[in-house]
Amino acid sequence: MRVLHVLNELLASGAEVMLREAAPYWHDIDSHVLATEDEVGPFAPDLREAGFTVHHLPFAKRPRFAVDLYRLLRQHKPDVLHIHTERANLLYVLVARFAGIRAVVRTVHSSFAFEGRLRRVRRAQRGLARRLGVVHVSIGPLVQSTERTVFGNETEMILNWYSPRFVPVSPEERRALRSQLGIPEEA
C-alpha cells in the first residue's frame, strides 16, 4: 500500500514527529510525504531516514498548482491520500478524486473555531468533502467537539501519541531538575 501524507513545511512538530515514530510499525506501507510550503523544511532528512519518500510542491493559488498536484498523484498513484493541512484541503480532495485516488483521509490537528463568512465556507467545504467520501479524523476530544459543534463535521477520533523517548521523570529526577532550575517544590 502506498500512502501520501500532505503537510506544510516539514518541521519537528506533531504530525511529522508522529509519522517518523510510527514508520517502523508500517511494514508493508510505501510512505510518502508532500511538503507544500516554499521550503521543504528542516525535518525532511528525518523523514527520509525513517523511510519516507519526500516530495516538494510549493502551494500557490494558481491553476498550475492543481495541475502539478494532479500529475504528482497520477505518477505516484497513492492508494491513500492523507491530508494533514487546513489550507487548501478541499482542493487536495478534488484533485485526488480527479486523479482516481479512492481513499482520502483528512486529519484535523487543531481546533479551528473560525467565525463569520470563513466559518460558513469551511463548514460547506467539510460537508462537500464528506459527501465525496473523505474520512475526517480528529486528534483528540476537543478537536472532535469543535469539528462537530462549529462545522457539523462528525469525525473519527484517533488520539495523538508520543515518542517512547519521552518518559516521565522519577520523583528523584524531578526534585533534582526543580532544584537545578530554581523552581520551589510547591510551585
Side-chain angles (χ1 to χ4, degrees):
M1 177 189 304
R2 178 172 292 155
V3 178
L4 174 63
H5 297 271
V6 179
L7 298 155
N8 294 309
E9 182 177 1
L10 302 178
L11 302 169
S13 63
E16 292 91 334
V17 170
M18 284 190 293
L19 290 172
R20 180 193 66 196
E21 295 301 316
Y25 302 102
W26 297 336
H27 301 289
D28 293 324
I29 297 177
D30 181 13
S31 298
H32 295 242
V33 293
L34 171 61
T36 59
E37 285 292 339
D38 291 338
E39 300 296 323
V40 173
F43 203 68
D46 294 73
L47 291 171
R48 284 187 188 103
E49 187 176 316
F52 286 83
T53 301
V54 176
H55 307 276
H56 184 221
L57 181 60
F59 176 77
K61 292 183 180 180
R62 296 187 317 268
R64 181 73 195 177
F65 176 79
V67 170
D68 290 344
L69 176 62
Y70 175 83
R71 287 183 178 144
L72 185 137
L73 294 175
R74 294 294 294 171
Q75 177 184 355
H76 295 285
K77 298 180 175 70
D79 298 294
V80 178
L81 183 70
H82 189 165
I83 304 165
H84 295 267
T85 64
E86 178 66 23
R87 177 186 68 191
N89 67 81
L90 184 60
L91 174 66
Y92 297 125
V93 170
L94 295 172
V95 173
R97 289 298 183 233
F98 280 114
I101 311 297
R102 294 195 183 274
V104 179
V105 175
R106 176 167 178 262
T107 295
V108 184
H109 288 276
S110 190
S111 294
F112 299 102
F114 299 117
E115 296 182 0
R117 181 181 181 280
L118 184 54
R119 179 182 285 191
R120 292 187 300 277
V121 167
R122 295 289 199 221
R123 185 180 183 103
Q125 288 176 346
R126 283 158 165 77
L128 178 56
R130 273 194 320 278
R131 285 190 292 285
L132 290 172
V134 173
V135 174
H136 287 84
V137 175
S138 293
I139 55 106
L142 180 60
V143 174
Q144 186 178 51
S145 175
T146 300
E147 285 295 308
R148 180 184 304 114
T149 59
V150 173
F151 303 110
N153 188 26
E154 292 298 328
T155 63
E156 300 292 325
M157 185 171 45
I158 300 176
L159 296 173
N160 267 344
W161 60 295
Y162 59 90
S163 168
R165 297 178 213 187
F166 300 105
V167 295
V169 295
S170 70
E172 296 79 28
E173 291 170 314
R174 182 180 185 276
R175 278 192 290 280
L177 287 168
R178 290 174 83 78
S179 175
Q180 178 184 352
L181 296 171
I183 300 172
E185 190 61 36
E186 66 278 358

